[in-house]
Amino acid sequence: MKGEGIWRGWLAAAALLAGLAPWWMARDEGTKSFPGFLVESGTNGAATGPFFRTLQVNAGSRHAKSHSATLAELPGGVLVAAWYAGSGEGAADVAIYLSRRYADGAWSEPAAVITRERAQADLRRNVVSLGNPLLLADDSGRLGLLFVSIAAGRWSGSSMNLAWSEDGGLTWGTARKLTMNPLANLSALPRNPPVRLAGGGWAVPVYEEFLGKFPETLWLQPRGKDFSAAVSRVEGGVYILQSSLVPLAPARAVSFFRDFRPARWMSASWSDDAGRTWTKPAVTGLPNRDSGLCAIRLSDGAILSAFNDLSPGKRENLRLALSGDEGRTWRTIATLAEEAGSEFSYPYLVRTSDGTIRMAYSARQKQILLAEFNEAWVYEQAEASR
Amino acid sequence: MKETVIIWTTLVPFLLLLWFSQRMSGLTGVSGLALAAVVSAVAVWFPWFGHPLPFWSASLSANFSVIMVGLLIVAVFDRAFETGIFRPRDWRAAWIFGAVASVLLYPSALGLGPQNFDVYALGWPWLFWGQSVWLFGGAGFAAALLIWRGNRFGYVIFLAMLGYAAGFQESDNIWDYLLDPVYGAVSLVMILWMVWRRRAGGPLVPTSEGASGR
């Protein structure tokens, strides 16, 4: 009995130490939890005077559905776009397509970089369809691809995966599953642009769409050649999702949300601790009727938002609005697309190193279009709309 | 995909089948266990709808908890050798732990409760630094206390802690080593059953035979 008691004592002590071991082993990573956002302060792209142009990225596409485009800029100014396309949402033939823009401005023939079969082989589990891709580009030219795979059903059966390319998206390494929630890891999707973090990581706005529908932040921190992932809550409940994260300062940011409450106003949250905690979402003066939106910070600190204004149909127009007070109030300055009975949706805004603002969006969920303009054009529109 | 995840997603359906085949066949002892193991191994590697069970198991979840696997192993060995590895109070601790953890974790994961806080986020090793320490330490403390008091479920929690330290699963979140929806659901059902039994005038806890699947 005495011997058993001693054993138990040793094992109990060992269990206590095991509980503290992860804390001790990861003690240095704790300091990197919320390292702060990298706030772009690049050129405003005004040297060439105001300009605006639109072109189609997936010209010649025969897919019935092409949607949820994402953009990234590689070193040397090479622009990369990715989207999902196939015969329909949730269909087995949906794949992630990628195209690169050459120096002469022409887009490469879109290539299916991740197919359902490829994802199934990489992940070694059932994949019925693919969805929302998101590109991550770092200064070294390494390109990351977050994408959704659906294990069963529709979007509520989705989860997120990460693959890396060392050659600008031509070839991709084996994708791996990211664990993001404890309920069979179901229902996590990306939608809006990631934000670079000090120290080389990423804050990626993501959302859950299972029983609850709410926004979260996926934190990717460098760990060797890969990244460790963790998720924090922005807001719970069932009323907002698809946040657009805009860094205002290293520790300050604002998130705008797709809002499906009857009030039909976009809502926003602010963080003063580098994304660790967020204020209770408050409605802003920008209309939103349950449709995806995207926002970006301009060089003078103003925020530009692309959104679907209210219309008889759900997404019959796509407009730009400007805010000078961190997203609390807005003024609509331009209409990028408008057609009764049509649909223009899922805007995705980035500002490339030359200061040009580039916005990918879907037209009728078939065409992937790219609008390019500079801040001079934005302010010209703002002036004209007064 | 980690190689350990392949092992894990193979082990879980194998153990479940083993446990079921033991129950269905009524076989005990080494020969019974060996026969059930062969049947289960064949079933695990049989291509169901074109893929073996580990493929479908991973599709459902690659993060079955270490605790659930530990309890399955105990149940299988208890049935095969009638060793009584777990006594009624050990099972009771397992169900209480699973039920309490489920009530703490899952409503929050579904977006309920305090709107901007997710209990699951405490399980990442580096995100919410100050608070995470309490979860890691709490699990270690629960294991230490149970072991010290002679409750064998403490060893299973301890194994989950060691599995976490080894990075055995696909997940980096310690919650996934301690709990999964299957273990959580079974725990809640067992707790409700225990309460019903008590109200009906029966013993508070199931007998070791009932709890270990005999």
Side-chain angles (χ1 to χ4, degrees), chain B residues 23-34:
Chain B
R23 282 183 67 90
M24 298 301 287
S25 68
L27 293 170
T28 57
V30 176
S31 56
L33 180 63

Side-chain angles (χ1 to χ4, degrees), chain A residues 266-318:
Chain A
M266 179 182 80
S267 50
S269 271
W270 289 264
S271 173
D272 277 314
D273 52 9
R276 182 188 175 99
T277 60
W278 294 87
T279 61
K280 188 76 182 167
V283 293
T284 69
L286 197 67
N288 183 263
R289 191 173 66 178
D290 189 15
S291 57
L293 54 93
C294 191
I296 193 171
R297 181 181 179 274
L298 301 182
S299 60
D300 64 355
I303 299 174
L304 181 72
S305 175
F307 70 106
N308 293 114
D309 206 343
L310 302 181
S311 62
K314 199 170 179 181
R315 299 166 181 171
E316 291 179 340
N317 58 52
L318 191 58

Side-chain angles (χ1 to χ4, degrees), chain B residues 169-184:
Chain B
Q169 290 190 343
E170 188 168 71
S171 171
D172 291 332
N173 191 303
I174 193 169
W175 278 111
D176 292 313
Y177 290 76
L178 298 171
L179 185 67
D180 61 71
V182 176
Y183 167 46

Side-chain angles (χ1 to χ4, degrees), chain B residues 8 10 50-51 57 59 62-63 75 94 104 113 118-119 131 142 149 152 163 171 177 200 206 213:
Chain B
W8 203 243
T10 305
H51 296 281
S57 164
S59 304
N63 292 312
L104 280 174
D118 181 12
V119 175
Q131 294 94 322
R149 291 174 61 87
R152 292 172 183 167
S171 171
Y177 290 76

